[in-house]
Amino acid sequence: MIVDVVSIFPSMFEGPLSASIVGLAQERGLLEVRCHDLRDWTHDRHRSTDDSPYGGGPGMVMKPQPLFEAVEAVQALEDEPGKVVFFTPAGVPFTQTIAEELSGEERLVMVCGRYEGFDERVLSLADVDLSIGDYVLTGGELPAMVVIDAVTRLLHGVLGHEDSSADESFSDGLLEYPQYTRPSVYRGMEVPEVLRSGDHARIEAWRREQSIRKTARVRPELLERLPLSADDRRIIEDELATPLISATTGTD
Ligand code: JAH
């Protein structure tokens, strides 16, 4: 996959994209991220990318001309123009399902804004406008890195074991069950006996129960869309009957 990124701070991407799995994916030729400086498409002496808003109001808005020319120039670098992805707080919520869809693309063009946002006409360039969560950042660069990270680990050949991403939080709509490794006792805290029993049916049932309990407690809305067995429903009821703060916590 080729990802072209347009930003006024292309150097922000250097660390996150060179380390760890994303860095390795690039070294192995499975991913190529090319970061472009939006100011390369400005024509004025001050290389300005922003201007004051029509109608008044605080702050500055990303002006159309450098963004239109940048996106058009970057799209022309390959035969395929690539899906154009914007990042704004008003975008559609980014989910694992969208990460899976994007991972099937040959190339993407990501546009990162700054200031108070984009001139609305610039958004006509977007195939999709994504939000990574309900908070306001100083720009779209961190969301772009989040999306690159989530998509990269889904690319074929990136995670040595190609089935590992199918076993995790969100892939079955539940949060992940607890994981343990050696030693079996650390500072008095024991690994659950079932995980050392070798009984794979029991282990699988325990893990599903733990996933359901965790999801019911912290993300109950995720359970509404899932097919649940009678066993699952009894576990949920039991979990929701358990107080979040136990009676023994405190000074008594
Ligand atoms: C802020 C341009 N979904 C989080 C998110 C995404 C983008 C921005 N903020 C938050 C943002 C300023 C300018 C984009």
Side-chain angles (χ1 to χ4, degrees):
M1 170 182 274
I2 297 174
V3 181
D4 284 288
V5 178
V6 174
S7 163
I8 60 168
F9 295 117
S11 67
M12 279 183 72
F13 291 81
E14 285 167 14
L17 294 183
S18 60
S20 187
I21 290 168
V22 175
L24 210 59
Q26 291 201 84
E27 285 175 23
R28 293 162 67 192
L30 302 169
L31 171 74
E32 186 181 359
V33 185
R34 305 183 294 210
C35 297
H36 307 273
D37 188 340
L38 178 64
R39 293 191 197 280
D40 292 349
W41 287 278
T42 58
H43 300 307
D44 64 311
R45 285 201 311 118
H46 297 104
R47 309 224 294 165
S48 28
T49 58
D50 62 328
D51 203 344
S52 45
Y54 271 117
M60 300 291 269
V61 173
M62 301 291 289
K63 54 193 271 171
Q65 174 267 318
L67 284 160
F68 269 87
E69 291 186 23
V71 169
E72 286 165 359
V74 160
Q75 284 189 308
L77 292 174
E78 304 291 330
D79 296 337
E80 209 186 333
K83 282 230 151 65
V84 178
V85 185
F86 276 64
F87 303 94
T88 79
V92 303
F94 180 61
T95 60
Q96 191 64 26
T97 302
I98 294 174
E100 284 163 16
E101 287 170 12
L102 294 178
S103 73
E105 298 289 329
E106 275 300 316
R107 75 177 302 239
L108 297 171
V109 176
M110 296 187 175
V111 181
C112 308
R114 284 268 144 182
Y115 316 112
E116 269 51 64
F118 299 99
D119 178 294
E120 188 66 19
R121 293 167 292 188
V122 173
L123 290 165
S124 68
L125 291 165
D127 291 297
V128 60
D129 177 16
L130 296 178
S131 167
I132 64 158
D134 291 338
Y135 35 79
V136 181
L137 299 168
T138 58
E141 286 80 6
L142 289 167
M145 288 185 244
V146 165
V147 171
I148 290 168
D149 189 289
V151 168
T152 298
R153 61 184 291 289
L154 299 175
L155 298 177
H156 189 83
V158 166
L159 303 181
H161 40 296
E162 288 309 291
D163 54 339
S164 73
S165 65
D167 202 40
E168 288 175 357
S169 286
F170 298 111
S171 58
D172 62 358
L174 293 171
L175 301 185
E176 187 60 294
Y177 49 77
Q179 300 269 27
Y180 296 87
T181 186
R182 281 177 284 273
S184 61
V185 184
Y186 182 70
R187 299 196 180 192
M189 297 178 284
E190 280 197 45
V191 173
E193 177 276 328
V194 58
L195 297 179
R196 307 202 296 135
S197 68
D199 181 341
H200 292 288
R202 253 182 91 213
I203 291 169
E204 204 185 348
W206 182 87
R207 284 177 166 170
R208 178 154 181 95
E209 173 166 341
Q210 294 300 311
S211 284
I212 289 169
R213 286 186 183 279
K214 177 81 176 168
T215 308
R217 194 172 277 276
V218 309
R219 298 292 305 280
E221 77 282 8
L222 295 179
L223 294 172
E224 286 162 26
R225 290 175 280 175
L226 295 181
L228 298 167
S229 68
D231 269 359
D232 292 343
R233 291 182 193 283
R234 267 188 280 104
I235 293 165
I236 292 164
E237 231 178 277
D238 180 74
E239 184 63 26
L240 297 181
T242 309
L244 285 166
I245 300 171
S246 82
T248 54
T249 302
T251 50
D252 56 338

